[in-house]
Amino acid sequence: LLHPFMPFVTEELWQNLIHRLPQDTSRPKSIMIAEYPIVDTTLEDTRAEIDLGLIIDIIIAIRNSRAELNIEASRLSEVIIEAGGNKGILDAHADQIGSLARAHPLTILEDKQSVIGPDKARVTVVGATRVIFPLDQTVDASRERPRIESQRDELASVINKLRQRLDDQNFVTKAPLAV
């Protein structure tokens, strides 16, 4: 598959491998004259693709939440996952989720078993699954409040500038409609 893009590298690999493989007279002497691989659709596993997609989406949701909450990459975070009917899949891949998302302890529960209220947690929904960050242990409120207030003030400033621009009849009459 890589040969059309990196012919010199793939030819070198082919020549090194061909001497190490069992003798096969049907195998061409060069990758350049070998047939392009044909997909064997009987080997497709749609269920595995869906399951892996869920695992990837959960890891992305955890990483995004960590980034939005300004949690340092080196720090582990407690994460609770309400499985939404996917407990078996999530239990089987809990080590990978925990490792790739820096989630420890990682608790995987059946549907709606969490006792953490929405006011004390950040909840992200991934399909039928809910990813929950308990905020009291994860986020330092004394550091987070000034950061959020600063963002609020910045946005208020931007809004005021835009309002002033819209209040200026000169600007409104000369600006294109899309602006």
Side-chain angles (χ1 to χ4, degrees), residues 76-129:
L76 296 174
S77 304
E78 179 182 3
V79 176
I80 300 168
I81 299 176
E82 291 179 353
N86 299 307
K87 186 160 176 27
I89 299 157
L90 296 176
D91 281 339
H93 296 284
D95 290 341
Q96 291 83 7
I97 295 169
S99 173
L100 293 171
R102 307 281 299 151
H104 183 76
L106 175 65
T107 308
I108 300 172
L109 306 172
E110 287 293 338
D111 303 341
K112 308 251 187 229
Q113 287 184 338
S114 177
V115 293
I116 298 174
D119 57 329
K120 296 186 180 189
R122 177 190 175 97
V123 179
T124 306
V125 178
V126 179
T129 305

Coordinates of all heavy atoms in Angstrom, one line a residue, residues 76-129:
L76 N -2.8 13.1 37.4 CA -3.9 12.2 37.2 C -5.2 12.8 37.7 O -5.2 13.5 38.7 CB -3.6 10.9 38.0 CG -2.4 10.1 37.5 CD1 -2.1 8.9 38.4 CD2 -2.6 9.6 36.1
S77 N -6.3 12.4 37.1 CA -7.6 13.0 37.5 C -8.6 11.8 37.7 O -8.6 10.8 37.0 CB -8.2 13.8 36.4 OG -7.3 14.8 36.0
E78 N -9.4 12.0 38.7 CA -10.5 11.0 39.0 C -11.5 11.2 37.9 O -11.9 12.3 37.6 CB -11.1 11.2 40.3 CG -12.2 10.2 40.6 CD -12.9 10.4 41.9 OE1 -12.6 11.3 42.6 OE2 -13.8 9.6 42.2
V79 N -12.0 10.0 37.3 CA -13.0 10.1 36.3 C -14.0 8.9 36.6 O -13.6 7.8 36.9 CB -12.4 9.9 34.9 CG1 -13.5 9.8 33.8 CG2 -11.4 11.0 34.5
I80 N -15.2 9.3 36.5 CA -16.3 8.3 36.6 C -17.0 8.2 35.3 O -17.4 9.2 34.7 CB -17.3 8.7 37.7 CG1 -16.6 8.8 39.1 CG2 -18.4 7.7 37.8 CD1 -17.4 9.5 40.1
I81 N -17.2 6.9 34.8 CA -17.9 6.7 33.6 C -19.2 5.9 33.8 O -19.1 4.8 34.4 CB -17.1 6.0 32.5 CG1 -15.8 6.8 32.2 CG2 -17.9 5.7 31.2 CD1 -14.8 6.1 31.3
E82 N -20.3 6.5 33.5 CA -21.6 5.8 33.5 C -21.7 5.1 32.1 O -21.9 5.8 31.1 CB -22.8 6.7 33.8 CG -22.8 7.2 35.2 CD -23.9 8.2 35.5 OE1 -24.6 8.5 34.5 OE2 -24.0 8.6 36.6
A83 N -21.7 3.8 32.1 CA -21.5 3.0 30.9 C -22.6 3.1 29.8 O -22.3 3.0 28.6 CB -21.2 1.6 31.2
G84 N -23.8 3.4 30.2 CA -24.9 3.5 29.2 C -25.0 2.2 28.4 O -25.2 2.2 27.2
G85 N -24.9 1.0 29.1 CA -25.0 -0.2 28.4 C -23.8 -0.8 27.8 O -23.8 -1.8 27.1
N86 N -22.6 -0.1 28.0 CA -21.4 -0.5 27.4 C -20.3 -0.9 28.5 O -19.2 -0.8 28.2 CB -20.8 0.7 26.6 CG -21.7 1.1 25.4 OD1 -22.1 0.2 24.6 ND2 -22.0 2.3 25.4
K87 N -20.8 -1.3 29.6 CA -19.9 -1.7 30.7 C -18.9 -2.7 30.4 O -17.7 -2.6 30.7 CB -20.7 -2.1 32.0 CG -19.8 -2.3 33.2 CD -20.6 -2.2 34.4 CE -19.8 -2.5 35.7 NZ -18.4 -2.2 35.8
G88 N -19.3 -3.8 29.7 CA -18.4 -4.8 29.3 C -17.2 -4.3 28.5 O -16.1 -4.7 28.7
I89 N -17.5 -3.5 27.5 CA -16.5 -3.0 26.6 C -15.6 -2.1 27.3 O -14.4 -2.1 27.2 CB -17.2 -2.2 25.4 CG1 -18.1 -3.1 24.6 CG2 -16.2 -1.5 24.5 CD1 -19.2 -2.4 23.9
L90 N -16.2 -1.2 28.2 CA -15.4 -0.2 28.9 C -14.5 -0.9 29.9 O -13.3 -0.5 30.2 CB -16.3 0.8 29.5 CG -17.0 1.7 28.5 CD1 -18.0 2.6 29.3 CD2 -16.1 2.5 27.6
D91 N -15.0 -1.9 30.6 CA -14.2 -2.7 31.6 C -13.0 -3.4 30.9 O -11.9 -3.4 31.4 CB -15.1 -3.8 32.3 CG -15.9 -3.2 33.4 OD1 -15.6 -2.1 33.9 OD2 -16.9 -3.8 33.8
A92 N -13.3 -3.9 29.7 CA -12.2 -4.6 29.0 C -11.1 -3.6 28.6 O -9.9 -4.0 28.4 CB -12.8 -5.3 27.7
H93 N -11.4 -2.3 28.4 CA -10.4 -1.4 27.9 C -10.1 -0.3 28.9 O -9.6 0.8 28.6 CB -10.9 -0.7 26.6 CG -11.1 -1.7 25.5 ND1 -10.0 -2.1 24.8 CD2 -12.2 -2.3 25.0 CE1 -10.4 -3.0 23.9 NE2 -11.7 -3.1 24.0
A94 N -10.5 -0.6 30.2 CA -10.3 0.4 31.3 C -8.8 0.8 31.4 O -8.5 2.0 31.6 CB -10.8 -0.1 32.6
D95 N -7.9 -0.1 31.3 CA -6.5 0.2 31.4 C -6.0 1.2 30.3 O -5.3 2.1 30.6 CB -5.6 -1.0 31.4 CG -5.8 -1.9 32.6 OD1 -6.2 -1.4 33.6 OD2 -5.4 -3.1 32.6
Q96 N -6.5 1.0 29.1 CA -6.1 1.8 28.0 C -6.7 3.2 28.2 O -6.0 4.2 28.0 CB -6.5 1.2 26.7 CG -5.7 0.0 26.2 CD -6.3 -1.3 26.9 OE1 -7.3 -1.3 27.5 NE2 -5.6 -2.3 26.7
I97 N -8.0 3.3 28.6 CA -8.6 4.6 28.8 C -7.9 5.3 29.9 O -7.5 6.5 29.7 CB -10.1 4.4 29.2 CG1 -10.9 3.8 28.0 CG2 -10.7 5.7 29.6 CD1 -12.3 3.3 28.4
G98 N -7.6 4.7 31.0 CA -6.9 5.3 32.1 C -5.6 5.8 31.7 O -5.2 6.9 32.1
S99 N -4.8 5.0 31.0 CA -3.5 5.4 30.6 C -3.4 6.5 29.6 O -2.7 7.5 29.8 CB -2.8 4.1 30.0 OG -1.5 4.5 29.5
L100 N -4.3 6.4 28.6 CA -4.3 7.4 27.5 C -4.9 8.8 27.9 O -4.6 9.8 27.4 CB -4.9 6.9 26.3 CG -4.2 5.8 25.6 CD1 -5.0 5.1 24.5 CD2 -2.9 6.2 25.0
A101 N -5.8 8.7 28.9 CA -6.5 9.9 29.3 C -6.0 10.4 30.7 O -6.6 11.4 31.2 CB -8.0 9.6 29.4
R102 N -5.0 9.8 31.2 CA -4.5 10.1 32.5 C -5.6 10.2 33.6 O -5.7 11.1 34.4 CB -3.7 11.5 32.5 CG -2.7 11.6 31.4 CD -1.4 11.0 31.8 NE -0.8 11.5 33.0 CZ 0.0 10.8 33.8 NH1 0.3 9.6 33.5 NH2 0.5 11.4 34.8
A103 N -6.4 9.1 33.6 CA -7.5 9.1 34.5 C -7.3 8.0 35.6 O -7.1 6.8 35.2 CB -8.8 8.7 33.7
H104 N -7.1 8.5 36.8 CA -6.9 7.5 37.9 C -7.4 8.2 39.2 O -6.9 9.3 39.5 CB -5.4 7.1 38.0 CG -5.2 6.1 39.1 ND1 -5.5 4.8 38.9 CD2 -4.7 6.2 40.4 CE1 -5.3 4.1 40.0 NE2 -4.8 5.0 40.9
P105 N -8.3 7.6 39.9 CA -8.9 6.3 39.7 C -10.0 6.5 38.6 O -10.6 7.5 38.5 CB -9.6 6.0 41.0 CG -9.8 7.3 41.7 CD -8.6 8.2 41.2
L106 N -10.2 5.4 37.8 CA -11.2 5.4 36.8 C -12.3 4.4 37.3 O -12.0 3.2 37.5 CB -10.6 4.9 35.5 CG -11.6 4.7 34.3 CD1 -12.2 6.0 33.9 CD2 -10.9 4.1 33.1
T107 N -13.5 4.9 37.4 CA -14.6 4.1 37.9 C -15.6 4.0 36.8 O -16.0 5.0 36.2 CB -15.3 4.7 39.2 OG1 -14.3 5.0 40.1 CG2 -16.3 3.8 39.8
I108 N -15.9 2.7 36.5 CA -16.9 2.5 35.4 C -18.2 1.9 36.1 O -18.1 0.8 36.7 CB -16.4 1.5 34.3 CG1 -15.1 2.2 33.7 CG2 -17.4 1.2 33.3 CD1 -14.4 1.3 32.8
L109 N -19.3 2.6 36.0 CA -20.5 2.2 36.6 C -21.6 1.8 35.6 O -21.5 2.2 34.4 CB -21.1 3.4 37.4 CG -20.1 4.0 38.5 CD1 -20.8 5.2 39.1 CD2 -19.8 3.0 39.6
E110 N -22.6 1.1 36.0 CA -23.7 0.9 35.2 C -24.5 2.2 35.0 O -24.1 3.2 35.6 CB -24.7 -0.2 35.8 CG -24.1 -1.6 35.8 CD -24.1 -2.2 34.4 OE1 -24.8 -1.7 33.5 OE2 -23.3 -3.1 34.2
D111 N -25.5 2.2 34.3 CA -26.3 3.4 34.0 C -26.7 4.2 35.3 O -27.3 3.5 36.2 CB -27.5 3.1 33.2 CG -27.2 2.4 31.9 OD1 -26.0 2.5 31.5 OD2 -28.0 1.8 31.3
K112 N -26.5 5.5 35.4 CA -27.0 6.4 36.4 C -26.8 5.9 37.8 O -27.7 6.0 38.6 CB -28.5 6.6 36.1 CG -28.8 7.1 34.7 CD -29.2 8.5 34.7 CE -29.6 8.8 33.3 NZ -29.1 10.0 32.7
Q113 N -25.6 5.4 38.1 CA -25.3 5.0 39.5 C -24.6 6.0 40.2 O -24.4 5.9 41.4 CB -24.5 3.7 39.5 CG -25.2 2.4 39.1 CD -24.4 1.2 39.3 OE1 -23.2 1.3 39.2 NE2 -25.0 0.1 39.4
S114 N -24.1 7.0 39.5 CA -23.2 8.0 40.2 C -24.0 8.8 41.2 O -25.2 9.2 41.0 CB -22.7 9.0 39.1 OG -21.9 10.0 39.7
V115 N -23.4 9.1 42.3 CA -24.1 9.9 43.4 C -23.6 11.4 43.3 O -24.0 12.1 44.2 CB -23.8 9.3 44.8 CG1 -24.5 7.9 44.9 CG2 -22.3 9.2 45.0
I116 N -22.8 11.8 42.4 CA -22.3 13.1 42.3 C -23.3 14.0 41.6 O -23.7 13.6 40.5 CB -20.9 13.2 41.6 CG1 -19.9 12.4 42.4 CG2 -20.5 14.6 41.4 CD1 -18.6 12.2 41.7
G117 N -23.7 15.1 42.2 CA -24.7 16.0 41.6 C -24.0 16.8 40.5 O -22.8 17.0 40.5
P118 N -24.8 17.3 39.5 CA -24.3 18.1 38.4 C -23.6 19.4 38.9 O -22.8 20.0 38.2 CB -25.5 18.4 37.6 CG -26.7 18.2 38.4 CD -26.2 17.2 39.5
D119 N -23.9 19.9 40.1 CA -23.3 21.1 40.6 C -21.9 20.9 41.1 O -21.1 21.8 41.3 CB -24.1 21.8 41.6 CG -24.4 20.8 42.8 OD1 -24.4 19.6 42.6 OD2 -24.5 21.3 43.9
K120 N -21.5 19.6 41.3 CA -20.2 19.3 41.8 C -19.4 18.4 40.8 O -18.4 17.8 41.2 CB -20.3 18.5 43.1 CG -20.9 19.4 44.2 CD -20.9 18.7 45.5 CE -21.5 19.6 46.5 NZ -21.4 19.2 47.9
A121 N -19.8 18.4 39.6 CA -19.1 17.6 38.6 C -19.3 18.2 37.2 O -20.2 19.0 36.9 CB -19.7 16.2 38.6
R122 N -18.3 17.9 36.4 CA -18.4 18.3 34.9 C -18.8 17.0 34.2 O -18.1 16.0 34.3 CB -17.1 18.8 34.4 CG -17.2 19.1 33.0 CD -15.8 19.4 32.4 NE -15.8 19.6 31.0 CZ -15.9 20.7 30.4 NH1 -15.9 21.8 31.1 NH2 -15.9 20.8 29.1
V123 N -19.9 17.1 33.5 CA -20.4 15.9 32.8 C -20.3 16.1 31.3 O -20.8 17.1 30.7 CB -21.9 15.6 33.2 CG1 -22.4 14.4 32.4 CG2 -22.0 15.4 34.7
T124 N -19.7 15.1 30.6 CA -19.7 15.1 29.1 C -20.4 13.8 28.6 O -20.1 12.7 29.1 CB -18.2 15.1 28.6 OG1 -17.5 16.2 29.2 CG2 -18.1 15.2 27.1
V125 N -21.3 14.0 27.7 CA -22.0 12.9 27.1 C -21.4 12.4 25.9 O -21.1 13.2 24.9 CB -23.5 13.3 26.9 CG1 -24.3 12.1 26.3 CG2 -24.1 13.7 28.2
V126 N -21.1 11.1 25.8 CA -20.6 10.5 24.6 C -21.5 9.3 24.2 O -21.5 8.3 24.8 CB -19.2 9.9 24.9 CG1 -18.6 9.2 23.6 CG2 -18.2 11.0 25.3
G127 N -22.4 9.6 23.3 CA -23.4 8.6 22.9 C -24.3 8.3 24.1 O -24.9 9.3 24.7
A128 N -24.4 7.1 24.5 CA -25.2 6.7 25.7 C -24.4 6.8 27.0 O -24.9 6.5 28.1 CB -25.8 5.3 25.5
T129 N -23.1 7.1 26.9 CA -22.2 7.1 28.0 C -22.0 8.5 28.5 O -22.0 9.4 27.8 CB -20.8 6.5 27.5 OG1 -21.1 5.2 26.9 CG2 -19.9 6.3 28.6

